[in-house]
Amino acid sequence: MRKIVLGENLAALAELPDGFAQLVYIDPPFNTGRAQTRERLKVFADESGERRGFGGKRYRVERTAGSGYADVFDDYVGFLLPRIEASLRCLEPRGSVFVHLDAREVHYVKVALDELFGRDAFMNEIVWAYDYGGRPKNRWPTKHDTILWYARDPNEYVFHHDAIDRIPYMAPQLVGAEKAARGKTPTDVWWHTIVPTNGREKTGYATQKPLGILNRIVAVHSDPGAVVLDFFAGSGTTGEAAALAGRGFVLIDESRDAVEIMAARLAAYDPELVGFERAASVS
């Protein structure tokens, strides 16, 4: 199953079958109180252009339509929880739910999820830490997101320990050559850069999350051939991680920009497109 759906996620979830997904990952809006936008640029060689590049060559820059969404909610938990609850019908018994948030709302959402799943279903609070961007001088810089992991059944869930990617020891000289060569498994704090602004992974979608984070979640928390569901799918990173790992995916977003970006990004996997047709090209 490989599917990209254009539509409001609560309505779209109601159309999906029971128990088809083994893993749900969502990266909902963070309720920042402002619009999230990403401007797109096209660069052309032009001797009279306003920018100078390598070797003295000049370039002209054109700004094209960007992508984005409003990120303002009066009742964030009231918006998010009905959608998570609706997705549970789609989750198989050994499945897990990952909810990616930041410091603005995570404490409120965790209390609500404890009530929805039961506190014993809470497995981990994963901190994704990064070191990029500005540093204010009136408080500690905010350089992490939080990912909450809940298991549908805390006594039986998918967790492939052997699939965990290993990372270098911080002090390899203290553990010996064999251990240093093998590396160690990560803790619940994951250091990973954001998507580089000029990297090949960048799609131009606002708030895109790095593939490395989703690769780890998909590999460890789903079986080969299982299906991953993301109903705030944005740029389609979840779908790419799933496809690369030999999993299926169902991606839902109400933004036309988002599903167009996903369709282009995942075209090699020939996903079914629901509610739209892929444009001839995506800038």
Side-chain angles (χ1 to χ4, degrees), residues 7 35 37 42 52-53 70 82 87 102 118 138 148 189 200 226 237 247 259 267:
T37 60
K42 286 185 176 181
R52 185 184 298 274
S87 75
D102 74 359
N138 60 347
L148 302 176
V189 177
R200 288 188 296 176
T237 301
R247 276 69 163 170
V259 296

Side-chain angles (χ1 to χ4, degrees), residues 84-128:
I84 296 175
E85 186 171 11
S87 75
L88 298 185
R89 180 185 58 80
C90 304
L91 191 65
E92 63 176 69
R94 295 168 60 240
S96 290
V97 175
F98 284 75
V99 183
H100 190 143
L101 301 161
D102 74 359
R104 294 177 184 86
E105 300 287 348
V106 64
H107 44 297
Y108 301 115
V109 173
K110 185 183 183 303
V111 171
L113 290 177
D114 283 349
E115 184 174 349
L116 175 63
F117 285 93
R119 293 183 69 175
D120 59 342
F122 172 67
M123 308 304 295
N124 270 120
E125 177 188 56
I126 297 166
V127 174
W128 167 36

Side-chain angles (χ1 to χ4, degrees), residues 35 64 68 70-71 93 109 115 142 150 154 157 187 281:
T64 64
D71 191 9
V109 173
E115 184 174 349
T142 303
Y150 285 81
Y157 52 86
T187 67
S281 63

Side-chain angles (χ1 to χ4, degrees), residues 146-220:
T146 302
I147 306 173
L148 302 176
W149 167 29
Y150 285 81
R152 181 74 180 267
D153 179 352
N155 297 310
E156 186 177 2
Y157 52 86
V158 177
F159 187 86
H160 296 297
H161 183 272
D162 290 344
I164 299 175
D165 56 301
R166 289 182 171 268
I167 61 176
Y169 282 93
M170 295 182 70
Q173 69 275 13
L174 299 180
V175 299
E178 184 179 346
K179 278 191 173 183
R182 187 170 67 247
K184 63 180 180 178
T185 54
T187 67
D188 58 0
V189 177
W190 296 358
W191 284 93
H192 195 293
T193 185
I194 66 167
V195 180
T197 55
N198 58 351
R200 288 188 296 176
E201 189 179 329
K202 195 73 176 178
T203 64
Y205 188 80
T207 70
Q208 179 183 348
K209 298 304 184 291
L211 187 59
I213 296 295
L214 271 300
N215 282 342
R216 182 176 290 172
I217 292 172
V218 169
V220 175

Side-chain angles (χ1 to χ4, degrees), residues 133-143:
R135 281 169 160 72
K137 296 182 178 180
N138 60 347
R139 59 183 173 85
W140 294 105
T142 303
K143 300 297 178 185

